[in-house]
Every structure is written in C-alpha cells, then in structure tokens.
Amino acid sequence: MTAKTIAALLKTEAKSQDIEIKGWVRTFRANRFIALNDGSTLQNIQCVVDFETMDESLLKRITTGAALHIKGQLIESQGKGQSVEVQVTDIKVLGDSDPETYPIQPKKHSFEFLRENAHLRTRTNTFSAVMRLRSTLSFAIHKYFNENGFYYMHTPIITGSDAEGAGEMFRVSNLDAKNPPLNEDGSVNYKEDFFGKETNLTVSGQLEAETYAMSLGKVYTFGPTFRAENSNTSRHLAEFWMIEPEVAFMDLAGNMDLAEDFMKYVLKYTLDTNREDLEFLEQRLKDEEKTKPQAERSEMSLIEKINFVVDNNFKRVSYTEAIEILRDSKPNKKKQFKYLIDQWGADLQSEHERFLVEKHFKCPVILFDYPANIKAFYMRLNEDGKTVRAMDILFPGIGEMVGGSQREERLDVLKEKMKALDIDEKELWWYLDLRKYGTAVHSGFGLGFERLVMFTTGMGNIRDVIPYPRTPQNAEF
Ligand code: 4AD
C-alpha cells in the first residue's frame, strides 16, 4: 500500500479501508486526537488513538512538531469539521520533537518571530498557504507563456553589464579582499579577477532577453534578480524573482495588453486552484483589519480584490495626465504629500502612486510615456523628444508591480543616449549589434514576483512571501 497525501485522503470516500499516512503533529488533544499535517493541504487529518491499548511511552512522544507514520482505517468522522478521520491501529514516531523548545507552538506567533524561525514557519497555516500559492503562481506563469507561444530563456545570473544603469549591484569576485591586485593608479586590477573583468549579480535579464526576442520572437525569463539598494521597506528585497517577457515586433500598446492579459490569467488560475488557501488568508486579513482604524480598512476582501483585478480593465493614464491629477489633488494642495508635485518632470514617489491607485482611480493603473530623464537608457524616445515609451503598472496596496517599455531600436538614437549617460559602447557592443542587424520594434516588461505574491496573499511584508528573504544586514539560512 502506498501512502497517500492528506489532501487525497480527505477527498476519499471512507469505507473503513486500511490507509497509511506520514506527517507532522500539529496538536494532540486529550491523549486521543492527533491533528496531522503533511503540507499537501491546509487541512489536518484527525487521527483517533485508542489510548487504552497504546503504549504510554509512545503516547508521550506524540508532541507538536513530531514526525509520525500512522497506519489505520479511514472512517467517516464522528466529530464536526471533517468528513473523514483515521482510526489509528499503529503509530511509529519517525522523528521526536521536544515540546519545551519547539518554536512553533499551537498558538498565534508574530510574523517577526516566525521570520527568525523561517526554517519552520511553513509548518503554520499562514505560511504553508502563502508558499503553496507562490508555487501555484509560478506554475501559472510558465503555463501562460507556454500556451501563448513564448520560449523560456535562462538569462545569466553573473553579468558584466548593468542593465538598469542604476549602479546598485553586488560584485562577484574571487580576488583576495584583503590584498587585491592593483593597477599603477591604485585601483583594483580586475583583469586578474576570475572573469578577467568586473562582474556582478544581474539586476535584470532584459538586455540578454532582447537578444533572444530578436531571433526567437517571443521569450521570457523568470529568475533571481539582485539589487544592492539599501531599501529597508516592506516592498524591497536584495534578492527577488522577476518575470521578464520580451517580444519582437510589439509596441508599447501591445506590451500593455500583454501585461494585463498575463496578470489576469495567473490570478484567475490561482483563484480556481487554491481556493482553500485563499479563503484562509482572506479570513486572516479580515481578522488583522479588525485591529486597524476604520479609515484604514480595505473596502474589499482578499478574494474580492483579486476578482476585481481579473474582471476590470486596468486604467491607462499618461504620466502627463497623472501629474495634472496629482497637482490638483487634495493632499498636494493641503501639503500632505512629503514630496509636493509642482511641475512636470517630477519622479513619482510611492505616496503619489498610492494616491492615484487607491484614492483616485481605485483600480490597477498603467502609467505610460514618462519623462526620458527619469527612466533607463534603453527606452524608446517619443516624437516629442522628451518622453519615452515606458510603462509602470501600479496596484492597490502594493504600488509598482511592473516596469517595462518599448525599446529604442534606432542605433543612432540609442548611441546618443548612451553617450549622454556615459555608458561605454564597448561594454554593450552586442546590444548595439541588435540595432545594426535586422533591428525592429520590440518591447517587454519586468514583473516583481514577490509583489505579485503579496497582492495575491494579502501579506503586508515582502519578507513573508519568499522562503528566505535577503535584505540589508540579513542573509540568515
Ligand atoms: O522597474 P524595474 O527595475 O524594471 C527592470 O528591471 C526592467 N529591466 C524590466 C524589463 O523591462 N524587462 O523592475 C521591475 C519590477 C518592479 O516593477 C518591481 O515589481 C520589481 O521588479 N522590483 C523589486 N521587487 C522586490 N524588491 C526589489 N528591490 C525590487 N526592485 C524591483
């Protein structure tokens, strides 16, 4: 007999058949009822022990956190809340758990405490639900692209180019940090480094993805991305996962359509497959919101919010229109914004993005045609000579979820832009080659995976939607 998962057993009709399960004890009540969980579902299966026939020393070892192998019969449940339960005939303790020191007690723990115990936090309902949803979202992403004719491309993690030009990169080197080889002018001689040049962990796979879009047509990357920015916020990680599609012969409007269609698809898929986890997280959020002042509470429940995104068009607004809305807004006039909007060209801060999405439009917003000087070098310059075909997608409660653009496909314009920003043509010779040999309109975007997981699960801190978060001063586990 093969052991079935608890998820499968809970869907099985009980006919007193012999079954076997393996899992971890959540609780053991009255020396009789074991709530066992194996991670396959949010639900525990109730295993009923006849303590009169069980060895007492064995019963003592059934503690929260212990791993058990249980044999028994699947019967219709006598109790409330579950349809089936297991009448235990045999228990083997596979791994004991010391109830005095086991960190995950059957009570409410703070998320801070659970972050310190991230190796065990997926034994709680909240984190197991979040991580199952994270897995489903990943699968839905691959499924969407696969069904829509995209090739999955693995862009390099170690790179010699700085895609975003932001200079917030982690250096990769095997030089002796205490005694690096030096040039005559005292600077470090990276020619002697492992790769014979300065290399870093990638901030984006975009530039390499563009090379494949310009031969395979439609590609996407989905991989780890690194930023050495010292942002200690609830929305930033030093290591996060990014999804980056890149498509030849597609303009900015097509890019917006793709992003919207893609996000709706993955959210819908998740609603259809992980209902139980979502309902649990929805209730968690409702309970959490009860502790907040009325004005800060969300008007919609978690599932309503997801459905709202799936069922409604994203609002498309130009940067110029957004600036007008912000300039005339109450918080701007009353000087409630930390950064007041007084003229065109201002970079939008998260307070502005949140106002637009949460107070003004009350739906996801695609902002496009940003001023060229606040965006990356590779974005397509518009005919006005001052804006670029950029788009950011802003989500309620999250802020920026997606950043993308139509790419500059004209060699002369791109070279000029690089020159103005002091980007060495020699570093990006291969990127310029794409514009020399068969250049074409092309576009793409990057979606921060953890921000999507935050939106879907209603978790308020990005550290709680990735197994082992990397943030300034923190790389435990
Ligand atoms: O806007 P970004 O920087 O865009 C790019 O990297 C482009 N090369 C993407 C492309 O066009 N292919 O980042 C894209 C998204 C952001 O919208 C945000 O969701 C997420 O990545 N992101 C982060 N997520 C977590 N922690 C951070 N430090 C993040 N920085 C960006």
Side-chain angles (χ1 to χ4, degrees):
M1 185 177 28
T2 50
K4 273 191 176 177
T5 62
I6 291 175
L9 279 181
L10 291 175
K11 287 190 204 130
T12 308
E13 198 192 337
K15 294 187 212 145
S16 299
Q17 64 271 49
D18 291 336
I19 57 105
E20 282 188 39
I21 35 172
K22 290 175 186 172
W24 294 271
V25 177
R26 285 288 176 88
T27 55
F28 185 34
R29 281 189 300 120
N31 248 0
R32 194 164 158 74
F33 302 108
I34 305 171
L36 200 74
N37 191 285
D38 65 357
S40 62
T41 160
L42 191 69
Q43 305 298 324
N44 303 322
I45 197 162
Q46 171 152 286
C47 305
V48 185
V49 180
D50 181 0
F51 58 88
E52 279 166 10
T53 60
M54 282 280 163
D55 182 29
E56 205 170 310
S57 63
L58 180 67
L59 285 177
K60 275 201 186 122
R61 292 173 65 198
I62 304 172
T63 57
T64 300
L68 304 184
H69 181 177
I70 288 181
K71 290 182 186 169
Q73 286 172 338
L74 193 69
I75 58 168
E76 261 182 50
S77 180
Q78 316 297 308
K80 274 198 227 138
Q82 68 260 327
S83 57
V84 296
E85 62 186 29
V86 179
Q87 192 70 53
V88 177
T89 52
D90 185 55
I91 297 184
K92 204 181 275 163
V93 178
L94 301 174
D96 290 287
S97 171
D98 181 349
E100 297 298 316
T101 56
Y102 183 56
I104 313 294
Q105 296 293 325
K107 63 166 193 172
K108 204 168 158 47
H109 292 289
S110 73
F111 286 160
E112 289 77 14
F113 172 83
L114 290 171
R115 252 170 247 150
E116 286 163 17
N117 290 284
H119 60 308
L120 294 170
R121 67 178 172 172
T122 28
R123 294 193 191 183
T124 65
N125 285 338
T126 298
F127 284 91
S128 66
V130 168
M131 293 308 161
R132 272 189 297 269
L133 280 160
R134 186 181 162 104
S135 171
T136 298
L137 283 165
S138 305
F139 178 74
I141 287 163
H142 287 299
K143 191 166 151 58
Y144 176 85
F145 287 124
N146 186 265
E147 284 172 6
N148 285 281
F150 283 72
Y151 297 108
Y152 179 30
M153 175 196 179
H154 299 113
T155 47
I157 288 171
I158 299 175
T159 167
S161 58
D162 174 1
E164 293 304 299
E168 293 156 336
M169 307 180 87
F170 290 102
R171 176 162 299 137
V172 176
S173 169
N174 73 341
L175 291 178
D176 181 354
K178 279 197 201 123
N179 191 21
L182 299 177
N183 294 312
E184 275 175 12
D185 63 2
S187 60
V188 175
N189 181 4
Y190 288 105
K191 287 208 180 88
E192 287 191 31
D193 205 347
F194 188 90
F195 296 105
K197 63 189 283 194
E198 266 193 87
T199 48
N200 297 290
L201 294 178
T202 186
V203 294
S204 160
Q206 178 199 321
L207 304 195
E208 290 89 352
E210 279 186 55
T211 66
Y212 270 41
M214 296 305 283
S215 48
L216 298 179
K218 296 206 274 187
V219 299
Y220 73 104
T221 74
F222 183 4
T225 310
F226 307 87
R227 305 236 170 138
E229 48 194 328
N230 199 6
S231 313
N232 245 320
T233 80
S234 58
R235 299 180 310 127
H236 288 88
L237 290 166
E239 177 182 287
F240 63 100
W241 285 64
M242 186 152 53
I243 299 109
E244 296 183 276
E246 194 67 36
V247 181
F249 314 116
M250 186 177 77
D251 64 9
L252 187 66
N255 206 19
M256 292 187 208
D257 293 342
L258 172 67
E260 188 170 340
D261 188 53
F262 162 65
M263 292 172 86
K264 286 179 170 168
Y265 175 95
V266 297
L267 290 173
K268 172 93 174 56
Y269 182 86
T270 308
L271 276 174
D272 292 344
T273 44
N274 284 50
R275 196 76 192 182
E276 188 179 77
D277 288 324
L278 285 169
E279 280 169 4
F280 173 81
L281 291 169
E282 171 164 274
Q283 190 54 49
R284 186 203 77 77
L285 203 61
K286 276 186 191 157
D287 295 342
E288 188 184 86
E289 295 228 321
K290 278 186 203 145
T291 64
K292 291 185 188 165
Q294 191 75 38
E296 284 174 32
R297 290 185 202 166
S298 172
E299 286 162 24
M300 284 189 232
S301 75
L302 180 65
I303 293 174
E304 280 168 349
K305 269 192 234 169
I306 300 173
N307 270 318
F308 183 84
V309 171
V310 171
D311 294 338
N312 289 283
N313 291 336
F314 295 6
K315 182 85 190 158
R316 300 181 186 194
V317 186
S318 75
Y319 166 90
T320 304
E321 283 172 78
I323 285 290
E324 278 162 18
I325 294 167
L326 288 167
R327 204 162 36 194
D328 296 340
S329 70
K330 232 195 216 171
N332 201 51
K333 287 186 172 155
K334 290 192 164 177
K335 299 198 169 27
Q336 286 160 343
F337 282 144
K338 192 167 165 216
Y339 298 93
L340 295 178
I341 299 286
D342 52 8
Q343 58 185 347
W344 192 92
D347 204 354
L348 300 185
Q349 306 295 326
S350 77
E351 57 180 348
H352 308 129
E353 295 177 345
R354 293 193 76 149
F355 174 82
L356 289 171
V357 172
E358 287 160 25
K359 299 272 186 292
H360 191 83
F361 291 111
K362 299 192 176 182
C363 69
V365 174
I366 310 184
L367 286 187
F368 61 92
D369 284 354
Y370 280 76
N373 60 352
I374 58 170
K375 287 291 182 187
F377 75 95
Y378 50 69
M379 296 188 180
R380 174 65 152 80
L381 192 65
N382 276 316
E383 279 63 46
D384 62 14
K386 57 176 194 171
T387 59
V388 283
R389 283 181 204 167
M391 65 167 198
D392 279 1
I393 305 186
L394 314 176
F395 258 58
I398 305 290
E400 186 194 322
M401 179 88 88
V402 166
S405 65
Q406 186 176 319
R407 319 305 188 189
E408 184 55 75
E409 83 285 12
R410 298 162 298 181
L411 183 64
D412 51 342
V413 182
L414 186 61
K415 275 184 165 178
E416 226 168 90
K417 192 75 176 286
M418 287 169 64
K419 200 167 153 201
L421 292 171
D422 211 15
I423 300 170
D424 191 354
E425 277 186 28
K426 282 196 220 101
E427 290 287 324
L428 288 177
W429 61 273
W430 49 274
Y431 191 70
L432 292 168
D433 262 7
L434 298 178
R435 278 78 184 164
K436 274 193 217 156
Y437 308 116
T439 192
V441 163
H442 62 290
S443 304
F445 62 84
L447 179 135
F449 183 53
E450 282 72 23
R451 294 194 184 169
L452 179 67
V453 184
M454 283 177 81
F455 177 76
T456 314
T457 59
M459 298 297 277
N461 193 318
I462 202 164
R463 293 168 178 82
D464 296 330
V465 298
I466 187 164
Y468 298 107
R470 269 72 179 106
T471 50
Q473 301 297 310
N474 172 41
E476 193 66 40
F477 305 102

